[in-house]
Amino acid sequence: MLNLLTAERIKLSRSKKLMVVLGIFILLPIFQAINTKLNVENGKELNQVVDTVINGATGIMMIDKNALTIFLVLCSFVSFFIGEEFQNGTIRNALSLGRSRTHYYLTKFVIAGLVTLVGTIIMTALGMVSFSIIFGFGEVADINHYYLYSLKTFGTLYLLILANVSVYVMIGFLTKNSGVALIWSFLYTIATGFLPDIFRHTKHFQQVTDWFTETFLFYYNFATPAHIAKFPDMVMVSLITIVLSSTLGIISFKRTDIK
């Protein structure tokens, strides 16, 4: 598996797709900080519930603020990252050398997870720095131990993002085509992101929505003590999603006829 990881690292180092992804993660928080400053100069008052990130301290929630954009960027990256292996036939090179299909699948997931980690770290760090320069570092209301809160928040947000990435990887292996995977990943993102808002207003399906990781990212406030207390639930749902999607993806891949 280490050989597969090394090969993937070499391919990614020459990949324009990776540069585009990292470029978006770099530019987005800087653009938002400048845009927010312009809005404030035009008389807008920042509100944490609405704006999510209002100073450097709340920059730890930059992932939450840009969750939908992150999903769309990553589902595009993963769809092409995996789909092109099937379409170009390069997947046969690794499998013909006797590489385990499980190891091959996990290698793709690990690489996708690492790209996600690097991207979210960059976005968070630049968000905190940019907003600190413009608005000061500030504080998060009702948070006394900020560093512990930051670690918990970033870790939880990353797992929520990673859970969706694991689904994108599964879809990529199921469809074996970049375009088709992109469409299904997009539909999955939209469906699990916006349909839960409808169910949240019903009596019988309200609790079901909390089994979708995007519910936490789109409808929870990560600076509210009541929602911070839900971090363990978010972690559990994320881990269950990762395990289930990876298991289904591996089982399906093992049964796939590679032509």
Side-chain angles (χ1 to χ4, degrees), residues 21 36 113 141 232 244 246:
V21 170
T36 303
L244 286 178
S246 297

Side-chain angles (χ1 to χ4, degrees), residues 68-69 71-72 75 164 168 182-198 212 214 218-219:
L68 181 59
T69 301
F71 286 144
L72 296 179
C75 81
N164 280 268
Y168 299 151
L182 183 60
I183 292 172
W184 279 108
S185 295
F186 176 79
L187 291 175
Y188 167 82
T189 301
I190 298 302
T192 58
F194 295 101
L195 287 180
D197 189 39
I198 300 175
F212 295 97
E214 290 183 46
F218 292 163
Y219 306 110

